[in-house]
Amino acid sequence: MNFSLARATLIAEADLVGIAGERAVCDRRGVLYFPDLRLLCVSDLHLEKGSSFARRGALIPPYDTGATLLRLQAVIADYQPRIVISLGDSFHDGGGAGRMHLSFRERLEALMAGRDWFWVAGNHDPDAPADLPGEMVKELAVGSLLFRHEPSKLLRVEGEIAGHLHPCARIVQRGRSVRRRCFAGDGGRMIMPAFGAYTGSLNVLDRAYLGLFNRDTLMAYMLGAERVFAISGAMLRPG
Amino acid sequence: MPRSPFVPIFLGDRTRSRYLLRVTEQPRLAEQNAAVLLPEPFVKWFGEKGWSPRVHQLELLAKAQARQSVLLIAPTGAGKTLAGFLPSLTELANRPKRKPGEAHRGIHTLYISPLKALAVDIERNLGKPVEEIGLPVTIETRTGDTPSHKRQRQKLVPPDILLTTPEQLALLIASNDARRFFEDLRYVVLDELHSLVTSKRGHLLALGLARLRAFVPQLQTIGLSATVAEPDELRRWLVAQNPPKNSKNTEMAGLITVAGGAKPDISILDSRERVPWSGHSARYAIPEIYEAIKQHRTTLLFVNTRSQAELLFQELWRANEDSLPIALHHGSLDVGQRRRVEKAMADNALRAIVATSTLDLGIDWGDVDLVVHVGAPKGASRLAQRIGRANHRMDEPSKAILIPANRFEVLECRAALDANYLGAQDTPPLIKGALDVLAQHVLGVACGGPFDADLLFEEVRGAAPYAALERETFDRVIDFVATGGYALKNYERYARIRQTKEGLWRIAHPRVAQQYRLNVGTIVEMPELNIRYVRQGRGMAGRGGPVLGKIEEYFAEQLRPGDNFLFAGKVLRFEGIRENECVVSNGAGANIIVPSYAGGKFPLSTYLAEQVRGMLADSDRWKTLPEQVADWLRLQKEKSVLPKRGDLLVETFPRGNRHYMVAYPFEGRLAHQTLGMLLTRRLERAHARPLGFVATDYSLAVWALDDMAALFKAKKPSLAALFDEDMLGDDLEAWLNDSWMLKRTFRTCAVIAGLIEKRYPGQEKSGRQVTVSADLIYDVLRSHEPDHILLQATRTDASAGLLDVSRLGEMLSRVRGRIMHKHLDQISPLAVPVMLEIGKESVNGGANDTLLMEAADLVEEAMGR
């Protein structure tokens, strides 16, 4: 293993969480990094969501792909992962990759160069993105971990990493409400926050998450400006 | 008496002929004019009724017949509406009958009012004289409630007079047969014009009028308005402006002004109780208010906010030993409930009704003989209008009592009262036409048919709010409508409008027109949740109970299951939030929360602020104040100082281990909040270590760890430098960009401009979904194209509305060289009210992560990590 000094100091032991025996960093920017595997996982990029809306007449700013890639570039530069897994809904629709502005495509290809890149199939993008490198998979097992887009319906899983639901969490402290995107995990399963610039979010207490977590050990790792805040499930509020 | 001295104002009051008026102005002249101007059937009808037309009605008719557009300014109950329709009715009476087989004639007169209910009322009340005179005139309404088969029929067989709202006009203009539909249009009558013109709805309407003028150049407008401070602004608004060469607009409609009726009989409650230092509940005065209700037939109680309405209603019922029928009415309540209250009111079944501004405009309210205004009236014209509710007879004085909720409000009430006697009026200043509204209009025009940009630009500049619009801005708006107007030209293939070979702009796809129709209008609501009532003990599992009304989302989010709050006069227990519903059951208990609503908080008007400052400075005027309030001011004079009329007083004093600065600009809470934000930034830079601030309508307190007085003395910075106008430059810009207020404003602009849709066909987006995406779009757009036209529109809006920047700017420039610093050993009497607010109101800073940290620390503590 060949950690550079900069990378090593990036990870404090206290910030690591355990998932099925693997150690991972819940990065405040919304990516999951496994230092021992040199594996970076990012979910729900929803690239070209802007142009997808524009096709239907809502001309929202065409800068989402650029903004998302810029943030992705920053985390990849920090961690220098060997493996990158894009956990589904990488593009907002099947035609997204084809619509991408040339400059963005070049930027994305530069990010992919020199590492193993997996596109996990999502409900928005079940097929491989057009003319882009990387390997298309339905799901991916790495050691004790299983990466897939939609969380499985099984009640007890060990080491499942999923996306799809765009979790956020809300607390009320001193009469004020704070809502943030979050990682949601109970030690066995981890659901990733959505990374895309135009992706909304859904409270982890919503019905859609029913049966996915052991409520006693549920933690929300809420994304803050400087760090991630680990909040226990009991403190969370719906809405 | 030779003949009845009474004439009816049967239309002005929109009700029965119980409103009779004494003719006060030269009846003989009126009769002479009547013979000349009024067609025979009208004269006969007036005669049969024993009435005669009023002078201003005939005057308006004369001007209209001379092809002039007119503004009629008259108080409530002066027969405004009949005056507005006389030109149409007389002209229609003289029109030859349509021969069988001849094409149907188009609309002759368009009537536009801000309220649907008003249009419906007019239909009923205009129908009666039309029928009695035997006029061959058809009158119909067209509102959001009109069924589609009726709308279709109206397109084929239009009525002579169409009564509608600004949104419906925008829709009519956007249809491809608009030009034909309006080709016979002669008059547009604009009711309650004073309230229409100050908002974005007014901008949309002004653009709609400009379009109508392009269809029918000889079109005449008739504006009906309550008294306003600047009639000339409205007169310009009514006619086409031609700004090109000389910069000054001279085009104005004719003006007719009717003097006010009897002076209202207004008093300020001189309470036996102690008037509180701060707060807004006026709880101290409940026994006296209840007594007043008992002594009158029907009392209307006005408050400034919905939360005040809930509180007052609750308190009155607590005092209601005689079980008098007292009802509650405000905009968040379910429509059904509001209608029931309105009906009971019209039937005179109620003794008192607690209401907010939902009742400011519009309909008659039975036999109200007393208006009670709780809290400060905030603007003199608002007070005048509210008092006009009582007793619509112009020759009888209306009776009103003002209940100040705290000591500063006593001053404000006194000032308002003086203003009302002087007949002074203030309305918000007209603002420049908004660009998001223009974008909506441009798309609407394109939906109606291809347009030429040069011609449309000239047409738009004919609308008063857009008279100063620059071509470059207009072109950017067109670019925005076409492809979003982004520097990154990525959306050419998705353009909504495209240029033809001939250079005309046309919509790219019929779907564009369909989407436009669903999104028309400028009223964008705050995200709200329905309040769903379930039986107690069922919790979130309960279903199917009635909807009690709506509540703003951000309030519901602060509640914990089990919390009790006050709504619709009931104590409700919060069970939880389910999708777009807030689920509640019967509540009880002592710790009851009153919802706060973002809407409905009016700032103190510039005029009243000026009056209050004047009163502070002039101890002779204290004689008219209640003794306890006058005492308070005398004490202030003794312990500190009272500022001169044009001066700004700034006090500093230590308290506890902190240092306080209290300033008294009297410019309203919004302007003070903005000032507070900016001052704190500056004090931070000066290393005074400011900790927070709090703002009221009258003053502003900032507290810091360091001695600010010492800093001012050492000129690090001087007080004058701290309050320098340049704070409105970079400091404002930097703060604005991070402000949640800007996001909220952006959302509204984005919906109006058509960037985000209000609704998809068959699917209503909930507030939350729109909010989330609007916030994300805002973030992305701000970091990638900060000069985008929609961000420009957003900043303009926020500066004018939420932040009151222009008012703050005027204040800062007014007080330059006139800041009076007084350093004290302890708090002054005048500072008490604002100091009491500390802790009640949270200061919205960037401290959200601190809250998260606290929550996370709690977890760590509990887990022993």
Side-chain angles (χ1 to χ4, degrees):
Chain A
M1 289 273 142
N2 182 17
F3 278 133
S4 80
L5 199 63
R7 252 175 292 138
T9 51
L10 208 72
I11 302 161
E13 198 63 27
D15 286 348
L16 292 171
V17 298
I19 309 164
E22 293 287 352
R23 301 182 316 152
V25 183
C26 295
D27 187 282
R28 62 154 185 95
R29 292 165 290 188
V31 299
L32 198 58
Y33 182 64
F34 296 88
D36 305 332
L37 301 167
R38 289 190 65 199
L39 185 156
L40 184 120
C41 181
V42 60
S43 190
D44 296 273
L45 294 170
H46 285 266
L47 296 171
E48 292 300 312
K49 184 169 178 176
S51 63
S52 184
F53 272 64
R55 279 190 312 164
R56 288 182 283 135
L59 302 173
I60 59 178
Y63 302 115
D64 56 319
T65 299
T68 306
L69 288 179
L70 214 58
R71 286 164 49 221
L72 191 56
Q73 212 169 351
V75 287
I76 287 182
D78 279 353
Y79 291 112
Q80 293 294 337
R82 200 160 48 90
I83 307 166
V84 174
I85 298 174
S86 177
L87 203 53
D89 289 0
S90 308
F91 286 89
H92 192 67
D93 61 68
R99 288 197 309 273
M100 196 159 42
H101 199 270
L102 186 64
S103 63
F104 296 151
R105 169 182 294 274
E106 285 169 1
R107 225 196 285 170
L108 178 56
E109 283 175 358
L111 283 181
M112 298 174 76
R115 39 194 129 248
D116 292 334
W117 192 288
F118 294 95
W119 301 107
V120 175
N123 52 315
H124 281 258
D125 56 350
D127 302 315
D131 303 325
L132 277 172
E135 195 178 330
M136 184 73 189
V137 292
K138 276 199 75 140
E139 52 182 47
L140 185 68
V142 181
S144 56
L145 302 171
L146 180 70
F147 293 88
R148 52 183 295 162
H149 178 62
E150 290 187 42
S152 59
K153 297 277 177 258
L154 303 170
L155 189 59
R156 289 276 174 267
V157 289
E158 273 303 303
E160 182 180 287
I161 315 286
H164 182 58
L165 290 167
H166 301 201
C168 72
R170 190 171 78 86
I171 60 155
V172 172
Q173 188 72 7
R174 282 196 278 146
R176 282 168 61 193
S177 171
V178 182
R179 181 191 283 108
R180 291 290 166 81
R181 297 185 197 198
C182 70
F183 296 87
D186 60 359
R189 188 191 326 248
M190 178 70 88
I191 299 187
M192 304 266 306
F195 191 82
Y198 282 164
T199 49
S201 49
L202 184 68
N203 195 305
V204 284
L205 301 186
D206 190 270
R207 271 184 287 192
Y209 297 83
L210 264 184
L212 291 181
F213 296 116
N214 176 355
R215 281 301 168 99
D216 298 333
T217 55
L218 172 64
M219 295 286 284
Y221 303 91
M222 297 173 73
L223 309 186
E226 304 284 329
R227 52 169 273 211
V228 159
F229 298 94
I231 311 287
S232 86
M235 295 197 61
L236 301 179
R237 300 284 184 83
Chain B
M1 256 198 249
R3 53 170 295 170
S4 164
F6 294 100
V7 291
I9 47 162
F10 57 95
L11 286 165
D13 277 282
R14 296 139 194 163
T15 47
R16 303 158 290 263
S17 58
R18 66 187 160 88
Y19 301 114
L20 295 180
L21 261 201
R22 204 177 295 275
V23 175
T24 52
E25 302 155 273
Q26 302 165 302
R28 192 165 303 159
L29 172 76
E31 274 165 50
Q32 277 170 4
N33 277 341
V36 179
L37 297 160
L38 279 180
E40 174 55 26
F42 287 77
V43 178
K44 191 159 152 261
W45 177 76
F46 272 108
E48 278 169 10
K49 294 275 177 184
W51 299 338
S52 63
R54 311 192 63 211
V55 171
H56 65 267
Q57 292 170 337
L58 293 174
E59 212 182 314
L60 194 151
L61 184 59
K63 281 193 198 297
Q65 289 180 346
R67 304 266 154 182
Q68 229 194 330
S69 290
V70 198
L71 172 66
L72 170 62
I73 291 183
T76 317
K80 252 190 303 211
T81 315
L82 174 62
F85 279 105
L86 263 188
S88 309
L89 293 178
T90 52
E91 206 172 292
L92 284 166
N94 291 333
R95 195 173 61 169
K97 276 208 174 72
R98 186 177 75 96
K99 295 189 185 72
E102 210 176 308
H104 283 283
R105 280 185 282 226
I107 298 215
H108 179 275
T109 297
L110 196 59
Y111 164 91
I112 295 168
S113 94
L115 295 172
K116 269 193 277 190
L118 206 53
V120 175
D121 242 31
I122 297 282
E123 182 182 25
R124 200 166 48 233
N125 294 311
L126 194 56
K128 198 163 176 244
V130 162
E131 190 188 316
E132 287 175 358
I133 301 173
L135 296 175
V137 173
T138 52
I139 305 166
E140 288 180 10
T141 55
R142 186 185 180 98
T143 70
D145 303 335
T146 306
S148 63
H149 65 86
K150 190 174 171 193
R151 288 159 182 254
Q152 302 224 319
R153 202 261 303 134
Q154 281 175 341
K155 284 282 184 74
L156 298 172
V157 189
D160 298 316
I161 299 179
L162 185 69
L163 314 166
T164 189
T165 58
E167 289 72 23
Q168 293 298 317
L169 174 61
L171 278 173
L172 285 168
I173 280 172
S175 63
N176 49 21
D177 54 356
R179 194 175 285 272
R180 197 186 49 74
F181 188 72
F182 288 115
E183 68 187 354
D184 294 326
L185 189 66
R186 282 284 294 119
Y187 293 105
V188 181
V189 180
L190 300 137
D191 206 351
E192 306 275 4
L193 187 61
H194 59 283
S195 79
L196 271 175
V197 294
T198 53
S199 64
K200 287 191 177 182
R201 273 183 110 192
H203 298 164
L204 189 65
L205 181 55
L207 291 168
L209 266 186
R211 191 93 266 254
L212 291 177
R213 274 190 218 107
F215 294 158
V216 194
Q218 69 278 16
L219 181 74
Q220 283 171 253
T221 52
I222 296 167
L224 311 175
S225 168
T227 319
V228 289
E230 304 284 347
D232 285 358
E233 287 187 340
L234 296 192
R235 295 171 68 191
R236 271 194 283 276
W237 201 96
L238 284 170
V239 295
Q241 304 297 292
N242 45 5
K245 285 132 207 127
N246 48 347
S247 60
K248 232 176 160 55
N249 289 319
T250 46
E251 296 298 319
M252 287 205 279
L255 175 68
I256 299 169
T257 310
V258 181
K263 290 233 192 288
D265 161 20
I266 313 174
S267 54
I268 298 175
L269 178 73
D270 190 358
S271 182
R272 298 180 293 269
E273 309 292 326
R274 200 178 143 276
V275 181
W277 293 103
S278 69
H280 299 281
S281 73
R283 201 172 278 153
Y284 76 97
I286 293 295
E288 285 154 315
I289 296 173
Y290 185 66
E291 204 48 42
I293 292 172
K294 283 213 298 202
Q295 282 163 13
H296 290 82
R297 211 168 44 243
T298 311
T299 304
L300 256 182
L301 297 117
F302 280 115
V303 293
N304 285 324
T305 65
R306 279 170 271 177
S307 12
Q308 281 175 312
E310 291 281 359
L311 259 182
L312 178 65
F313 180 74
Q314 183 83 357
E315 292 292 331
L316 278 176
W317 269 95
R318 202 166 284 168
N320 194 355
E321 288 161 1
D322 307 280
S323 294
L324 302 179
I326 298 176
L328 175 68
H329 191 289
H330 65 67
S332 289
L333 298 177
D334 177 58
V335 180
Q337 186 173 348
R338 272 184 279 158
R339 294 294 166 265
R340 277 194 296 282
V341 170
E342 286 161 17
K343 185 165 185 317
M345 192 74 182
D347 295 345
N348 286 324
L350 298 175
R351 287 295 295 280
I353 177 165
V354 180
T356 59
S357 55
T358 32
L359 292 185
D360 265 0
L361 285 172
I363 332 299
D364 258 349
W365 285 90
D367 287 322
V368 174
D369 56 345
L370 175 68
V371 171
V372 171
H373 197 292
V374 178
K378 298 298 169 203
S381 62
R382 195 170 296 124
L383 176 66
Q385 195 163 26
R386 286 180 170 184
I387 287 171
R389 286 287 132 237
N391 217 340
H392 268 193
R393 281 160 259 207
M394 255 177 49
D395 54 346
E396 268 180 39
S398 307
K399 193 172 170 194
I401 306 175
L402 307 182
I403 318 274
N406 59 51
R407 291 177 178 214
F408 269 120
E409 287 191 356
V410 173
L411 299 181
E412 195 186 322
C413 283
R414 187 72 240 169
L417 208 155
D418 291 351
N420 197 255
Y421 276 125
L422 297 168
Q425 297 281 344
D426 47 45
T427 34
L430 300 194
I431 45 169
K432 253 174 52 181
L435 297 179
D436 49 353
V437 179
L438 181 59
Q440 185 181 112
H441 179 71
V442 167
L443 188 57
V445 169
C447 291
F451 69 84
D452 176 279
D454 296 343
L455 292 179
L456 185 61
F457 176 61
E458 284 317 313
E459 177 188 317
V460 163
R461 294 236 293 182
Y466 296 92
L469 181 71
E470 279 166 19
R471 182 59 194 251
E472 191 250 332
T473 312
F474 178 76
D475 287 340
R476 283 179 68 199
V477 168
I478 292 202
D479 191 24
F480 168 81
V481 173
T483 60
Y486 302 108
L488 180 68
K489 296 288 171 203
N490 217 16
Y491 288 168
E492 299 301 337
R493 64 197 131 155
Y494 312 125
R496 290 185 293 188
I497 59 174
R498 282 182 212 284
Q499 244 172 331
T500 63
K501 278 193 231 79
E502 298 76 36
L504 296 181
W505 289 92
R506 65 185 313 154
I507 52 169
H509 195 280
R511 189 188 55 221
V512 174
Q514 187 196 356
Q515 280 175 340
Y516 172 82
R517 279 193 264 284
L518 289 164
N519 285 290
V520 95
T522 61
I523 301 173
V524 181
E525 303 286 339
M526 292 276 299
E528 285 182 320
L529 302 174
N530 278 330
I531 299 186
R532 171 79 66 186
Y533 178 81
V534 298
R535 249 186 304 155
Q536 210 172 2
R538 304 294 297 275
M540 289 297 286
R543 288 196 172 269
V547 171
L548 301 179
K550 284 178 183 300
I551 198 159
E552 273 158 29
E553 187 181 21
Y554 79 91
F555 172 74
E557 286 186 349
Q558 313 301 321
L559 297 172
R560 260 178 296 229
D563 280 353
N564 288 299
F565 69 101
L566 205 53
F567 187 84
K570 293 187 182 73
V571 179
L572 299 175
R573 184 189 137 94
F574 177 70
E575 301 288 352
I577 296 173
R578 187 170 61 202
E579 283 151 23
N580 64 341
E581 290 188 337
C582 166
V583 180
V584 301
S585 63
N586 266 337
N591 290 325
I592 297 163
I593 307 163
V594 181
S596 61
Y597 301 87
K601 282 177 187 149
F602 304 110
L604 183 65
S605 81
T606 321
Y607 179 83
L608 267 189
E610 167 85 32
Q611 297 298 309
V612 172
R613 283 197 303 268
M615 188 172 299
L616 275 182
D618 181 2
S619 54
D620 285 349
R621 292 181 64 187
W622 301 352
K623 287 195 289 285
T624 58
L625 296 172
E627 196 44 40
Q628 47 180 330
V629 176
D631 264 351
W632 171 51
L633 296 182
R634 276 191 283 272
L635 208 61
Q636 166 72 13
K637 202 171 184 176
E638 195 180 298
K639 304 255 178 193
S640 173
V641 64
L642 279 163
K644 288 207 263 320
R645 193 178 185 126
D647 288 0
L648 173 67
L649 171 63
V650 177
E651 294 173 331
T652 49
F653 50 85
R655 191 161 184 274
N657 45 11
R658 287 171 184 181
H659 297 270
Y660 289 82
M661 171 174 81
V662 180
Y664 305 88
F666 294 92
E667 294 294 348
R669 208 170 50 91
L670 290 177
H672 292 168
Q673 259 171 2
T674 306
L675 179 62
M677 294 279 184
L678 298 176
L679 287 179
T680 342
R681 281 182 86 92
R682 296 196 145 189
L683 288 167
E684 218 156 82
R685 273 209 302 276
H687 306 292
R689 295 188 289 164
L691 295 171
F693 74 91
V694 63
T696 70
D697 259 340
Y698 314 98
S699 53
L700 163 80
V702 182
W703 55 98
L705 286 173
D706 281 15
D707 184 355
M708 288 176 277
L711 283 176
F712 300 153
K713 212 169 164 197
K715 300 216 182 300
K716 283 183 191 171
S718 68
L719 198 54
L722 184 67
F723 280 84
D724 194 282
E725 273 174 273
D726 63 12
M727 75 169 80
L728 296 179
D730 294 350
D731 276 329
L732 179 67
E733 189 71 17
W735 168 60
L736 257 185
N737 278 333
D738 289 324
S739 164
W740 59 271
M741 288 190 251
L742 216 58
K743 283 192 178 174
R744 188 180 287 182
T745 312
F746 176 77
R747 172 176 169 264
T748 309
C749 288
V751 171
I752 292 174
L755 189 68
I756 301 169
E757 303 199 312
K758 246 192 219 168
R759 287 184 296 181
Y760 285 116
Q763 168 205 2
E764 189 105 21
K765 290 187 102 185
S766 83
R768 156 121 3 123
Q769 282 162 306
V770 175
T771 310
V772 171
S773 50
D775 284 1
L776 296 171
I777 291 169
Y778 172 82
D779 286 339
V780 168
L781 190 55
R782 202 192 89 202
S783 53
H784 288 79
E785 198 174 342
D787 295 328
H788 189 263
I789 190 155
L790 211 53
L791 291 178
Q792 201 179 309
T794 304
R795 278 187 219 109
T796 310
D797 264 23
S799 310
L802 290 162
L803 309 171
D804 236 348
V805 169
S806 61
R807 195 152 163 199
L808 180 56
E810 280 162 29
M811 189 277 287
L812 292 174
S813 102
R814 174 172 58 80
V815 302
R816 199 184 320 165
R818 307 190 63 169
I819 301 178
M820 178 195 276
H821 179 204
K822 183 84 184 169
H823 185 68
L824 305 164
D825 298 334
Q826 59 177 42
I827 178 173
S828 76
L830 214 54
V832 172
V834 71
M835 296 288 288
L836 285 173
E837 293 292 322
I838 294 174
K840 274 193 212 164
E841 212 181 323
S842 70
V843 181
N844 236 329
N848 285 344
D849 271 21
T850 321
L851 299 177
L852 276 173
M853 176 107 68
E854 282 180 15
D857 286 349
L858 283 178
V859 177
E860 285 184 21
E861 231 179 271
M863 313 275 254
R865 276 165 60 175

